[in-house]
């Protein structure tokens, strides 16, 4: 039954505003609401932190330093029920947004926003070692997604609003709109998409305006003006980048180990955050007994609560400012390089709620500050400002953990408002990114998804692309040319078919090469070009890259990528190059739809449908191409075997339950279920449908 449309969606359908204007208005709305949520979130954290430490210490002075053990445990006990209310609120949030963008069309449950704000505020306010950026990114994304779902927008528009919410979250929290845009594109969208860029910018600006209204127009950290004394100083920043990669991987692995331990522990999920808080509390209690560390945390972005807490508690912004100003002592900096990852692992690994953005910046500032002190001690004529290394270390370590050097450079630049350090930021950030990628392929965000069987590359799930074969989506009867045909025949074929490339054959039905419009253009630039005297072989590329029908789509993508090829001939195995078909970029896009559908179906019914346990029966998907005769035919006209049932048709992002009068179209993903032996011949059935006279024969 078709779901009932809500009044807003119905009004939008009647109004039919221009797409650009609609998304512009919605991006402003998402940005402003996310900015308000960020303001509420930050103030709530400061309030909880003040009540938990200053208020409790004043009310019960006998607790003394035991407050650093008890308060985090109470916070963990309060967070547990909120995580059960919305499981997406567990952990650092950004991976859940990435997964929703790639696999669910950007759809995020509305309850996630409320649960994330409450759980993260309790966690961070009571001392949990986590950041507030990840939660705000998730909250902003949930707001954008919910708005898109209420208005019943397409998947593409919902994804755009999710990116707007993420950018707005970073912009409002750090007062860094440019970095917010970079984060949404570089981390979430996995590549620049121009049609989304303008709306994301508008959302980030809207959130920044709201943040300015409540917090004033100020940078996140008060940073002295740093400059480079000598070009040789870049060598030391290069060393900082290499070190940041190693420490960043240490952080990723510590957090992953903690998550694995707690996830594999047979213990009520409700109480796991409190258990992690016990370990965090012991760490903080011991740390506060060290000499010279009990200082009020009053600095940092948008002020602070004034509470005296361990430096590794909360986001740690106040002590980051101390390190950037060069006022922190070396032994504390070195100690915190290891204590902060440990504290964050206890907090987030146990299921508490918060982000990893701020902990990454904190660890980087400690690492940079410590190395700056050492460089200054041994090379004072080259390195004069240890605080500058703390500033650059923030960007370097976030680059290493998130694999987002542009975001790291821009966010540190905007937070410090110091342009003179842009070269060191670039050197350290890019070095850390590439070295960390070489040592540890997964980032701190993608590792969590990889454990769920979701691996991203270029915005696509690699596992999905591994599960679809070339033979399932390739064109089985492509238009071909012979290498000895006149070039004039080829040019006429380009005009008649509007295709951009053809396999070039030799005698015996074997592939000789491939020819494209670009090859014709290059040949025309030569002085001896003649369409009547030249043959196809004179302009075609001989011995092309090929794929086999039984190889996964991901292999075809890997072969296309280095030279940006648009199509590949498909040859049969063991036949010395006999042509089986042709696969193009559009076929690969359809293959992704097949893979997503197959994965979602498997997740839903793997444990429910008993028929799947029979080796004689199976599901299968077919993508209808322009070479299939079943295009424009009705379902009732398909000559399906009695043992095969047509289950569903996916078209344009929507699932259609087929009826006898449903007409098939090019690009439809057809899902069938039945005997494996009969499914194998279904491709022949797709080419045997009688076409109605009014549609003609496309072949």
């Amino acid at each position: 039954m078709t779901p009932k449309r809500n009044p807003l969606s119905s009004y939008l359908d009647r109004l039919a505003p221009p797409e650009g204007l609609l998304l512009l208005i919605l991006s402003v709305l998402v940005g402003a609401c996310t900015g308000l949520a960020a303001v509420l979130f930050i103030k709530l954290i400061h309030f909880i932190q003040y009540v938990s430490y200053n208020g409790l210490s004043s009310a019960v002075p006998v607790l003394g330093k035991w407050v650093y053990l008890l308060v985090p445990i109470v916070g963990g006990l309060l967070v547990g029920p909120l995580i059960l209310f919305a499981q997406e609120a567990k952990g650092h949030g950004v991976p859940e947004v990435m997964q929703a963008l790639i696999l669910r069309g950007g759809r995020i449950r509305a309850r996630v926003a409320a649960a994330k704000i409450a759980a993260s505020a309790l966690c961070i306010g009571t001392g949990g070692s986590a950041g507030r950026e990840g939660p705000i990114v998730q909250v902003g994304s949930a707001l954008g997604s919910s708005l898109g779902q209420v208005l019943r927008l397409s998947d593409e528009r919902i994804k755009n609003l999710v990116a707007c919410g993420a950018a707005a979250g970073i912009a409002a929290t750090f007062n860094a709109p440019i970095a917010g845009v970079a984060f949404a594109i570089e981390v979430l969208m996995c590549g620049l998409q121009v049609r989304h860029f303008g709306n994301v910018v508008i959302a980030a600006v809207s959130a920044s305006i709201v943040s300015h209204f409540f917090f004033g127009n100020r940078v996140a950290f008060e940073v002295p003006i740093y400059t480079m004394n000598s070009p040789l100083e870049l060598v030391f920043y290069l060393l900082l980048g290499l070190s940041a990669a190693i420490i960043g991987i240490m952080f990723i692995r510590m957090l992953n180990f903690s998550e694995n331990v707690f996830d594999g522990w047979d213990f009520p999920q409700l109480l796991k955050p409190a258990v992690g808080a016990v370990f965090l509390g012991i760490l903080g209690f011991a740390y506060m007994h060290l000499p010279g560390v009990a200082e009020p945390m009053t600095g940092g972005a948008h002020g602070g609560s004034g509470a005296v807490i361990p430096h590794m508690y909360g986001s740690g912004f106040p002590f980051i400012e101390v390190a950037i100003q060069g006022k922190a002592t070396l032994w504390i900096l070195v100690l915190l390089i290891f204590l902060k990852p440990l504290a964050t692992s206890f907090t987030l690994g146990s299921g508490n709620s918060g982000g990893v953005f701020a902990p990454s910046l904190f660890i980087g500032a400690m690492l940079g500050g410590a190395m700056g002190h050492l460089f200054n001690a041994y090379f004072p004529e080259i390195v004069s400002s240890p605080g500058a290394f703390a500033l650059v270390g923030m960007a370097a370590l976030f680059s290493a953990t998130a694999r987002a050097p542009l975001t790291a450079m821009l966010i540190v630049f905007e937070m410090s408002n110091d342009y003179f350090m842009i070269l060191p930021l670039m050197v350290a950030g890019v070095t850390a990114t590439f070295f960390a990628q070489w040592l540890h392929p997964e980032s701190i965000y993608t590792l969590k998804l990889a454990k769920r069987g979701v691996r991203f590359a270029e915005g696509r799930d690699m596992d999905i692309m591994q599960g679809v074969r070339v033979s399932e989506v390739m064109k089985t009867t492509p238009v071909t040319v012979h290498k000895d045909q006149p070039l004039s025949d080829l040019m006429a074929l380009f005009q008649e078919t509007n295709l951009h490339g053809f396999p070039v054959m030799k005698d015996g039905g074997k592939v000789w090469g491939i020819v494209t419009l670009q090859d014709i253009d290059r040949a025309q630039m030569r002085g001896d070009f003649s369409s009547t005297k030249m043959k196809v072989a004179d302009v075609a590329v001989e011995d092309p890259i090929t794929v086999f029908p039984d190889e996964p789509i991901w292999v075809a993508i890997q072969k296309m990528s280095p030279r940006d090829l648009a199509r590949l001939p498909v040859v049969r195995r063991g036949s010395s190059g006999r042509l089986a078909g042709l696969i193009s970029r559009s076929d690969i896009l359809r293959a992704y739809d097949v893979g997503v559908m197959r994965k979602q179906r498997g997740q839903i019914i793997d444990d429910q449908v008993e028929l799947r346990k029979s080796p004689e029966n199976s599901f299968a998907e077919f993508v209808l191409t322009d070479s299939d005769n079943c295009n424009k035919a009705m379902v009732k006209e398909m000559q399906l075997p009695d043992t095969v049932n047509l289950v569903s048709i996916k078209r344009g992002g929507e699932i259609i339950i087929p009826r006898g009068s449903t007409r098939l179209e090019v690009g439809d993903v057809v899902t069938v279920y039945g005997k494996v032996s009969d499914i194998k011949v279904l491709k022949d059935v797709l080419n045997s449908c009688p076409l109605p006279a009014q549609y003609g024969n496309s072949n």
Side-chain angles (χ1 to χ4, degrees):
M1 186 175 66
T2 304
K4 186 178 180 180
R5 303 180 68 85
N6 60 67
L8 280 176
S9 176
S10 300
Y11 177 74
L12 187 64
D13 289 341
R14 292 194 300 271
L15 187 62
E19 179 181 2
L21 178 62
L22 173 65
L23 289 179
L24 179 65
I25 295 173
L26 294 180
S27 63
V28 172
L29 182 60
V30 170
C33 292
T34 303
L36 288 172
V39 171
L40 170 65
F41 184 51
I42 292 170
K43 289 185 175 294
L44 186 59
I45 289 174
H46 291 163
F47 173 76
I48 293 174
Q49 193 174 82
Y50 180 84
V51 171
S52 299
Y53 290 98
N54 289 24
L56 186 60
S57 296
S58 300
V60 192
V62 70
L63 287 177
K65 294 182 179 179
W66 287 100
V67 71
Y68 304 118
L69 174 61
L70 297 178
V71 169
I73 296 174
V74 173
L77 290 171
L78 295 175
V79 168
L82 294 173
I83 298 300
L84 294 181
F85 175 71
Q87 284 291 329
E88 299 94 325
K90 175 185 175 184
H92 44 100
V94 174
E96 283 69 28
V97 176
M98 296 171 67
Q99 186 171 357
L101 275 171
I102 303 299
L103 298 182
R104 296 196 295 271
R107 284 167 170 76
I108 303 171
R109 293 193 299 171
R111 68 169 64 179
V112 172
K116 194 68 178 181
I117 283 183
S120 297
L122 281 170
C123 171
I124 301 170
T126 55
S129 179
R132 58 200 188 196
E133 304 74 30
I136 286 298
V137 165
Q138 193 172 10
V139 168
S141 299
L143 290 174
S145 177
S146 299
L147 181 60
Q149 292 178 71
V150 167
L151 297 178
R152 298 182 63 84
L153 302 181
S154 65
D155 287 2
E156 201 67 23
R157 292 182 178 184
I158 292 176
K159 289 179 181 180
N160 191 188
L161 294 179
V162 169
C164 289
I170 295 293
T173 308
F174 280 121
N175 192 15
I178 301 176
V181 174
F183 179 85
I185 294 174
E186 191 175 27
V187 177
L188 296 185
M189 304 304 286
C190 303
L192 179 63
Q193 300 185 32
V194 176
R195 64 184 180 276
H196 294 157
F197 187 80
N199 299 322
V200 175
V201 170
I202 293 298
V205 171
S206 301
S208 292
I209 292 173
V210 173
S211 178
H212 289 173
F213 179 79
F214 287 96
F215 295 126
N217 189 10
R218 54 163 294 181
V219 294
F221 301 114
E222 297 294 335
V223 182
I225 300 300
Y226 290 126
T227 58
M228 287 196 304
N229 292 333
S230 167
L232 291 175
E233 197 169 359
L234 289 176
V235 176
F236 295 101
Y237 286 112
L238 178 66
L239 294 175
L240 173 59
L242 295 174
S243 302
I246 296 173
I247 298 299
I249 292 172
M250 178 196 74
F251 178 34
I252 294 173
R253 289 184 173 176
M254 286 177 66
L255 180 57
N256 180 54
F257 176 79
S258 179
E259 288 176 344
N260 290 339
V261 169
F262 277 98
D263 288 343
W265 185 23
D266 187 13
F267 192 74
Q269 179 61 49
L270 187 71
L271 301 177
K272 286 182 180 179
V275 175
V278 170
F279 293 108
L280 174 68
I282 294 172
L283 191 67
F285 179 76
Y287 181 80
M288 292 304 286
H289 282 82
L290 298 176
V293 298
E295 301 171 358
M297 308 298 281
T298 56
H302 312 309
S305 64
V308 180
I309 61 174
H311 296 143
M312 78 286 293
Y313 277 20
S315 63
F317 281 167
F319 196 70
I320 289 178
E321 185 168 280
V322 174
I324 291 175
Q325 293 174 350
K327 299 177 182 178
T329 56
L330 177 59
W331 73 271
I332 291 182
L333 292 173
V334 173
L335 188 62
L336 288 173
I337 292 173
F338 302 98
L339 292 186
K340 185 64 173 181
L342 193 60
T344 305
S345 299
F346 289 150
T347 301
L348 299 181
S350 62
N352 238 311
S353 182
V356 294
F357 204 125
S360 296
L361 297 179
F362 185 97
I363 299 166
M366 300 304 105
L367 175 65
M371 294 186 70
H373 277 288
L374 294 176
F375 291 152
N376 176 251
Y378 290 100
F379 305 97
E381 66 283 358
I382 300 177
V383 178
S384 60
S385 305
F389 280 81
L391 181 68
V392 175
M394 295 165 63
L397 201 125
F398 180 73
S399 297
T401 56
R403 312 296 153 78
L406 179 61
T407 301
M409 286 184 281
L410 289 174
I411 203 163
V412 172
F413 166 66
E414 286 192 277
M415 287 193 302
S416 63
N417 201 23
D418 187 357
Y419 180 78
F420 294 103
M421 296 304 296
I422 197 68
L423 283 179
L425 287 171
M426 295 170 68
V427 169
V430 172
T431 300
T433 299
F434 284 114
F435 192 40
Q437 182 71 33
W438 180 61
L439 294 175
H440 193 275
E442 299 291 349
S443 74
I444 200 166
Y445 296 131
T446 61
L447 180 60
K448 188 174 182 180
L449 296 175
K451 293 190 295 184
R452 303 173 186 170
V454 180
R455 292 178 173 83
F456 294 127
E458 300 296 329
R460 300 284 179 182
D461 183 353
M462 291 173 59
D463 283 355
I464 283 178
M465 303 305 272
Q466 290 280 15
V468 182
R469 302 294 170 183
V470 170
S471 60
E472 297 181 69
V473 295
M474 70 180 185
K475 295 178 178 66
T476 55
T477 56
V479 179
T480 63
V481 294
H482 195 277
K483 70 183 186 71
D484 294 329
Q485 280 185 258
L487 190 58
S488 57
D489 290 354
L490 174 63
M491 298 181 71
L493 197 60
F494 276 124
Q495 293 179 345
E496 292 171 4
T497 63
N498 291 322
L499 299 176
H500 294 172
F502 307 102
V504 179
M505 310 300 293
K506 59 183 178 181
D507 295 337
K510 297 181 180 180
V511 177
W512 179 87
I514 193 165
V515 63
T516 66
L517 278 174
Q518 287 79 8
D519 297 323
I520 298 294
D521 293 339
R522 283 191 291 267
Q524 288 176 335
M525 297 173 65
R526 304 201 308 251
D528 59 345
F529 179 81
S530 173
S531 61
T532 56
K533 297 179 180 179
M534 298 176 68
K535 296 182 178 181
V536 173
D538 295 328
V539 298
V541 176
E542 188 178 0
D543 192 21
I545 299 172
T546 61
V547 291
F548 297 118
D550 58 350
E551 288 185 310
I553 288 295
W554 187 247
V555 173
I557 296 175
Q558 288 178 316
K559 291 183 177 181
M560 286 179 171
S561 296
R563 295 175 56 190
D564 197 26
L565 302 176
R567 60 195 59 79
L568 292 177
V570 183
V571 298
R572 303 183 190 280
R573 285 189 184 272
S575 61
S576 301
R578 292 187 65 84
L579 184 69
L582 184 74
I583 186 167
S584 64
R585 289 175 180 169
S586 58
D587 298 323
I588 288 174
L589 292 177
R590 288 196 294 267
Y592 191 74
D593 287 337
V594 172
V596 169
M597 193 171 180
R598 184 173 296 168
K599 188 166 188 174
Q600 290 174 342
R601 185 199 67 216
Q603 291 172 345
I604 293 172
I605 65 175
D606 188 40
D607 297 326
Q608 299 176 9
V609 181
E610 292 297 325
L611 290 173
R612 288 193 54 148
K613 297 180 180 179
S614 171
E616 298 178 358
N617 300 306
S618 178
F619 283 93
E621 291 82 15
F622 296 90
V623 178
L624 295 186
T625 66
D626 49 13
S627 62
D628 292 323
N629 287 340
C630 268
N631 294 327
K632 304 301 183 181
M634 292 186 181
V635 170
K636 63 184 179 182
E637 297 168 340
M638 297 180 65
Q639 304 299 317
L640 292 176
D642 294 337
T643 56
V644 176
N645 289 322
L646 182 58
V647 177
S648 66
I649 300 172
K650 183 175 182 180
R651 178 184 300 161
E654 296 184 358
I655 301 297
I656 300 173
I657 303 301
R659 300 288 185 265
S661 60
T662 303
R663 197 174 295 278
L664 302 176
E665 296 181 3
V666 174
D668 284 352
V669 181
V670 179
T671 300
V672 298
Y673 179 83
K675 292 185 65 174
V676 174
S677 58
D678 292 333
I679 288 176
K680 290 181 179 179
V681 300
L682 192 59
K683 196 68 175 178
D684 297 330
V685 174
L686 298 179
N687 285 315
S688 63
C689 295
L691 286 178
Q694 65 266 33
Y695 287 101
N697 195 323
S698 61
N699 293 328

